[in-house]
Amino acid sequence: MSDNFAAYPATDGVAPDRWASALHLFDNGAGVPHEETTAERWERALLLFDARDYSGAAKLLVPVVEEVPEQTGPRLLLARAYYHSAQLRRAEEQLREIVERDPVEHYAHLMLGRTLQRQGCKDEAEPWLRMAGAFAGALPDDD
């Protein structure tokens, strides 16, 4: 066996979920289970989302949102994970909650409009999309 690190065969890489778990192998000593913190679940959910494992990210984000319901970031990422995994009703629920708590969160307006469109609710989506456009500085079309 070679001691040359460069000789190690590269693959597609370590799965983000396994990598995040491996980072904490030795935190509490051998045999002591590690209690994952909210911040660690958030970091792992980001890795899964970036790896396009939207369902896995959503599963991690649900308890994060329950623990910090006042924070928009985790809830918005949860809505995005639901949207990308075609859990559109759940995405809509999270987005409506965001808009209720933070009416000027322009991305939530855009996502809510797009989510409603994907559900076939074009008329209901239109005001949300117009509002998102207004936040972005888009001028309305002259009809």
Side-chain angles (χ1 to χ4, degrees), residues 88-118:
L88 301 177
R89 293 272 185 225
R90 289 179 175 174
E92 180 184 348
E93 290 172 10
Q94 295 303 318
L95 292 164
R96 288 188 186 278
E97 181 70 27
I98 292 168
V99 169
E100 184 177 311
R101 290 174 182 255
D102 188 359
V104 295
E105 175 53 60
H106 67 281
Y107 190 66
H109 285 82
L110 176 65
M111 277 197 63
L112 182 54
R114 296 281 189 243
T115 301
L116 291 167
Q117 279 181 331
R118 279 185 69 185

Side-chain angles (χ1 to χ4, degrees), residues 27-125:
D27 286 353
N28 296 331
V32 178
H34 174 72
E35 180 75 29
E36 193 173 41
T37 67
T38 303
E40 289 168 336
R41 275 192 299 279
W42 165 252
E43 290 172 13
R44 200 157 53 100
L46 286 169
L47 289 171
L48 289 172
F49 188 90
D50 289 343
R52 296 183 177 174
D53 180 359
Y54 302 118
S55 295
K59 287 176 187 172
L60 284 174
L61 287 164
V62 168
V64 171
V65 167
E66 289 172 356
E67 291 175 35
V68 289
E70 71 285 352
Q71 291 189 14
T72 301
R75 190 178 299 274
L76 189 56
L77 189 62
L78 176 58
R80 291 177 62 202
Y82 282 150
Y83 178 87
H84 288 298
S85 61
Q87 299 178 60
L88 301 177
R89 293 272 185 225
R90 289 179 175 174
E92 180 184 348
E93 290 172 10
Q94 295 303 318
L95 292 164
R96 288 188 186 278
E97 181 70 27
I98 292 168
V99 169
E100 184 177 311
R101 290 174 182 255
D102 188 359
V104 295
E105 175 53 60
H106 67 281
Y107 190 66
H109 285 82
L110 176 65
M111 277 197 63
L112 182 54
R114 296 281 189 243
T115 301
L116 291 167
Q117 279 181 331
R118 279 185 69 185
Q119 293 180 77
C121 304
K122 184 180 177 186
D123 292 339
E124 190 179 351

Side-chain angles (χ1 to χ4, degrees), residues 14-35:
V14 177
D17 196 35
R18 292 192 66 195
W19 178 251
S21 297
L23 292 175
H24 301 290
L25 278 175
F26 305 104
D27 286 353
N28 296 331
V32 178
H34 174 72
E35 180 75 29

